[in-house]
Every structure is written in C-alpha cells, then in structure tokens.
Amino acid sequence: MRNTRVLISGASIAGPALAYWLDRHGFQVTVVERAARPRPGGQAIDVRGPALEVCARMGVLEEIRAHRTGLRGMSMVDGDGKELFSTTERTASGGRLDSPDVEILRDDLSSVLLAAGGDGIEYLFNDSIASLAQGPDEVAVTFGRGGSRAFDIVVAADGVHSSTRALVFGPEEQFLRHMGGYLGVWTAPNYLGLDRWEVIYQMPGDVWGGMVMSVRENTEVRVYIGIDSDEPPAEFLGSRTVSDQKRLVAELHKDARWEMPRLLEYMWGAPDFHLDVAAQIHMDSWSRGRVALVGDAGYCGSPMSGQSTSVAMVGAYVLAGELKAAGGDHTAAFAAYERELRGYVAANQQIALDHKARKDAETASAGQEPDTNPTDIGDGFYEVVNSYALKDY
C-alpha cells in the first residue's frame, strides 16, 4: 500500500470515525484538533439508517444506545407555562420514538468514537493546520503551534467553517448556503425536574423561543434557542466574541416569558455555549489533489435535514474503504468516494431544503399560531435515509 500517512483535521464526529477505519485498514493516522481537549456540549444528534450499521461494524452500537437521550415525549407551552400540546409519539429533536434511530448528545457520541479508535491513532489537541503545500509525492503541513510534517493525504473533517477547506478551496462564502437561521445551545441544571422530556416555548417574530430537553439521567438539560436572520455568518458571527453572542441572545429574548429568563441566566456561565448558522455546504468536488473533505466540511446538510451526523459517519466509512480498496491511491479513491456517495448526499440535503420550504409556507399561511407539529419532516424521509447500503471493504 502507498500513501499511508494521513492527517485528519477535526476530532468531533467525522474525524474520529474516519481515523478508526483508516487505522483498521493499515494507515498511519494523525488527527489535529483546534480545541485543547474533546469539546463539551452541542446539541442532541441522531444516528440513523446506514450510520447505525457503521456503528455496528465498529463494535460501538450498544455503547451508543446506552448513551441515548431516552426521551419519552414532548410538550409545548405558552408564556404562562400552560400546556398547548403534548405527545409521546415523537420529539422535536429526535423524531418518532418508535424508530430504531439513536438520539445521543454530540459530545457523548464524540467520546465513544474517540475511545473506539484506540492507541494506534495520534491526536494533536490544541493545534491546527496553519498552512499546507501540495507536492507531487506528499503534502507539507505547518502547524499553528509551530513545526511542520509531511503527510501523503490530508482530510478536512473540521466542520461547516472548515479552515482546512479554506486553505485549499477558498473562502467558505463560495460554498455555504445559508438556511436563514441560527441555532444556539447550552447546558443548564435540570431545575424543572423534567423526566426524559422535552418542552418547547415558541415566540412570535424572528426569535423562535426556546426548547429544553432533559439529558444524562435527568441531571442536566440542554437549552436551545433559534434566531431567524439572513445576515451571513461572516457578519453575524465573525465579528462577535462568545460574550458578544451571549449578549445578543439575551437582548433578542428580553421579552421572552415562561422559564426563558432563568434559562438565559444559566447561559451566562455555561462553558459549552455554542451559536452557529443553520447552513449547507455545496462543493463541485470533495477533493483537490491530495486533500479531501468529509462530513460537514464537504457536504453539511444543516440541522433541518436531521441527517448531517449520519451522513458524516457514512462518509467516513466510505472514504476510508475506498482508500483501502485503491491501495492508498488517493486519485482513484477520491473519485470512487464521490461516485459512491454524491447521490446520497444530495438526497439528504434536499430533505432540508424541502423541510424549510414547507415550514416557510406553513408559517405564511398560519400567521403566528404555534406549530404543534415541529417534527414533521415530510413524506419519504426514511426512504432517503435508508436508500444507501454499505459496501464491504
């Protein structure tokens, strides 16, 4: 096998999954991550369809199931806390409760994948790729903390705002399709006493309100807020520090009722507060030379698809498998990776576009009435989810 030295940028979901499979296929794997340690926090995410089979083949499916959120249902309340709607059939965050899907916190899934890789994978935390230069036989990489090394292949798995992608393909504005909103999330104590339950409070206007779900055996809640804005992320987020972002969220929710004032108080001290754009990434090609993209860096579907995590895990499996099948020939492997997955990626991204169009139409026709079916992602969802069958590599 040739081209065995692989550098992966990003240690959240796609990066550790890719590292696992490349290591098992005989590659020498290094993962560089900007954060000083595995990042805490993040929203609840879903593992569905072929991604469940990826987990099974990794031997972590039962562990992931053990970490599932285990929600029993959801309700919707008004500003006085009066219940407007309740169901034990579905939740806004995870969909139907009678499905085989696994809803799990992002940081829990990341921890499972990181541990599964074992000691054969080198992790460089608190560092990043500062520059890279592709040559005919290798990629010369300079790291942010100093020093340089040579690798045969570099893979960007560092998310929708991938700095590695920007170094090779150019600014993200060329590839990012803004879906018109921003999503914030943080952790707070479960002072509400929620028992594996999710509560939604909606507000009129450009602020969606809030959603709270109990997690980790009801010891915590994850708090979600949404903001409608067409302002591009380079302006909405780029010029604001985390403290600035928290002040913005507080200002936009100054008229919020129900439990939002207290939940916003917990936001100020939350070390895992995160605010980001709901967006898709569309690329004409997922590779250039010896550099490839996987997961959100190459084809983010946005939270509206409900599939970004699952597609990222499938993408990691396929990319590693095609590199193995090609004996490390990156040119052949990258082309096969795109042939194998581009149709599946496009279909999953279309889920989000259809979902947004449907919800926009419903909002226009219903005015400011509460949406009592926030999990309706449309007919044919699972047909798309299950439309890809994993190859054996």
Side-chain angles (χ1 to χ4, degrees):
M1 186 185 297
R2 54 178 175 161
N3 293 337
T4 59
R5 300 169 300 172
V6 182
L7 174 65
I8 302 169
S9 176
S12 182
I13 303 298
L18 178 63
Y20 173 94
W21 288 110
L22 287 175
D23 177 68
R24 297 312 186 269
H25 294 330
F27 292 84
Q28 302 170 39
V29 186
T30 300
V31 182
V32 61
E33 166 58 46
R34 186 182 302 274
R37 60 189 64 83
R39 290 186 297 110
Q43 66 196 78
I45 53 183
D46 302 289
V47 183
R48 296 184 167 111
L52 290 170
E53 178 61 22
V54 171
C55 292
R57 296 186 185 193
M58 293 176 71
V60 298
L61 182 55
E62 291 310 310
E63 186 174 3
I64 286 173
R65 284 175 172 157
H67 283 84
R68 69 194 315 160
T69 60
L71 293 181
R72 299 182 297 110
M74 58 165 280
S75 55
M76 183 175 293
V77 299
D78 65 12
D80 296 321
K82 178 183 177 182
E83 187 176 278
L84 304 174
F85 171 76
S86 179
T87 179
T88 55
E89 295 181 354
R90 62 184 187 274
T91 63
S93 58
R96 293 197 60 86
L97 297 178
D98 60 358
S99 76
D101 307 343
V102 176
E103 182 182 51
I104 182 173
L105 295 177
R106 185 212 62 83
D107 42 357
D108 286 346
L109 177 58
S110 181
S111 295
V112 171
L113 297 177
L114 285 164
D119 296 335
I121 299 168
E122 178 187 21
Y123 278 92
L124 306 175
F125 284 96
N126 197 29
D127 210 345
S128 61
I129 299 174
S131 66
L132 54 81
Q134 299 196 60
D137 300 315
E138 61 185 19
V139 184
V141 175
T142 301
F143 293 97
R145 297 187 66 188
S148 60
R149 289 168 59 177
F151 297 89
D152 299 307
I153 295 168
V154 175
V155 181
D158 44 355
V160 66
H161 303 299
S162 171
S163 59
T164 308
R165 183 188 63 222
L167 289 173
V168 179
F169 294 86
E172 75 172 34
E173 290 79 9
Q174 304 175 66
F175 317 113
L176 186 142
R177 181 179 297 182
H178 188 9
M179 303 290 283
Y182 290 82
L183 180 67
V185 61
W186 64 91
T187 298
N190 185 15
Y191 73 90
L192 292 167
L194 298 179
D195 180 12
R196 294 177 293 146
W197 198 258
E198 189 170 87
V199 184
I200 297 174
Y201 161 63
Q202 290 187 336
M203 294 174 62
D206 293 336
V207 180
W208 304 348
M211 183 178 81
V212 182
M213 59 185 294
S214 61
V215 296
R216 296 196 171 131
E217 302 298 326
N218 298 324
T219 60
E220 302 174 354
V221 296
R222 288 283 162 97
V223 186
Y224 298 75
I225 56 92
I227 302 165
D228 283 331
S229 173
D230 291 324
E231 188 175 358
E235 299 172 18
F236 191 91
L237 298 172
S239 61
R240 291 187 169 105
T241 64
V242 172
S243 294
D244 291 336
Q245 292 174 10
K246 290 181 177 181
R247 281 191 287 272
L248 172 66
V249 169
E251 173 62 23
L252 291 172
H253 287 80
K254 64 183 179 181
D255 296 325
R257 299 168 61 199
W258 184 55
E259 294 288 337
M260 289 304 298
R262 186 170 180 183
L263 292 168
L264 288 165
E265 283 299 315
Y266 282 113
M267 174 191 71
W268 293 108
D272 62 349
F273 171 86
H274 183 70
L275 178 68
D276 206 352
V277 65
Q280 294 187 336
I281 295 294
H282 290 260
M283 308 285 298
D284 291 335
S285 175
W286 300 338
S287 65
R288 182 166 293 175
R290 292 176 172 270
V291 180
L293 310 172
V294 68
D296 284 357
Y299 35 82
C300 178
S302 89
M304 288 184 176
S305 74
Q307 273 288 89
S308 287
T309 298
S310 292
V311 172
M313 294 187 68
V314 172
Y317 174 85
V318 172
L319 176 55
E322 294 297 346
L323 280 165
K324 175 193 175 186
D329 181 343
H330 66 282
T331 301
F334 292 168
Y337 164 55
E338 289 211 34
R339 286 194 304 270
E340 186 70 16
L341 270 193
R342 188 167 279 278
Y344 186 63
V345 164
N348 280 279
Q349 289 184 321
Q350 190 62 45
I351 289 173
L353 298 175
D354 292 344
H355 186 194
K356 183 178 187 301
R358 187 168 55 254
K359 290 302 180 185
D360 287 348
E362 290 172 359
T363 300
S365 63
Q368 299 298 341
E369 290 299 314
D371 175 11
T372 57
N373 196 12
T375 61
D376 178 17
I377 48 184
D379 295 334
F381 175 71
Y382 280 102
E383 285 80 355
V384 174
V385 168
N386 296 313
S387 64
Y388 181 78
L390 298 182
K391 292 170 58 176
D392 294 325
Y393 290 103

